[in-house]
Amino acid sequence: MAFRFHGREYTSRFHPLEAKGTRIECACACTGLLFFLPLVSAPDSRFGRYWANQGLIVLLIQILLVVLWLIVGGALWLLSLIPLIGVLFSILRIAVGILLASVALFYVVYAMVFAASGRAKDIPFLGHMRFIK
């Protein structure tokens, strides 16, 4: 399994009118929590199913980042209780939180830009996986 930053482009596989008609729902699906929206609003749309799948992947990434934050943030919080050097761990905890939130925001914005423009392009690294066919 090869991870690639630049996802594959699948825009040519979809009819342009289909992409134009569902791009708002598809952009909303990229938030993660609303991944099911294109499946409900346009159940026969292949473009909608594609972006519902990408939205589900974004949701799974967000869940993974929250779990990672709970583990790493909790450990850094415990280390921040150490006198004198605890301040450094507090600062590191804030930096890690900002970094993880930035990664989650990157995936949402990256996917939304392509979905809103009517293009079908995989999100970086994990977009090649297919859960919804």
Side-chain angles (χ1 to χ4, degrees):
M1 176 178 5
F3 293 109
R4 48 175 78 200
F5 181 77
H6 298 290
R8 291 190 176 114
E9 181 86 28
Y10 295 108
T11 306
S12 62
R13 294 184 181 183
F14 303 105
H15 194 277
L17 291 177
E18 179 184 13
K20 186 176 182 179
T22 59
R23 64 183 181 184
I24 301 300
E25 293 92 347
C26 294
C28 291
C30 297
T31 60
L33 286 176
L34 298 175
F35 76 91
F36 60 88
L37 194 59
L39 298 174
V40 174
S41 65
D44 297 330
S45 171
R46 288 180 42 232
F47 188 74
R49 281 195 309 271
Y50 174 82
W51 280 110
N53 182 70
Q54 296 297 304
L56 179 61
I57 294 171
V58 168
L59 177 66
L60 294 174
I61 290 170
Q62 290 171 342
I63 291 170
L64 178 72
L65 291 172
V66 167
V67 169
L68 185 64
W69 167 243
L70 290 173
I71 294 168
V72 173
L76 289 173
W77 176 78
L78 284 174
L79 291 171
S80 70
L81 298 175
I82 299 171
L84 299 177
I85 62 168
V87 175
L88 296 173
F89 289 111
S90 294
I91 293 170
L92 184 61
R93 181 174 179 250
I94 292 169
V96 168
I98 290 171
L99 177 72
L100 293 177
S102 298
V103 169
L105 183 64
F106 165 77
Y107 275 104
V108 170
V109 171
Y110 186 92
M112 284 182 104
V113 166
F114 284 109
S117 66
R119 292 176 59 194
K121 186 171 182 177
D122 288 344
I123 60 173
F125 303 116
L126 301 172
H128 65 278
M129 295 187 293
R130 299 290 180 255
F131 297 112
I132 300 171
K133 296 185 182 197

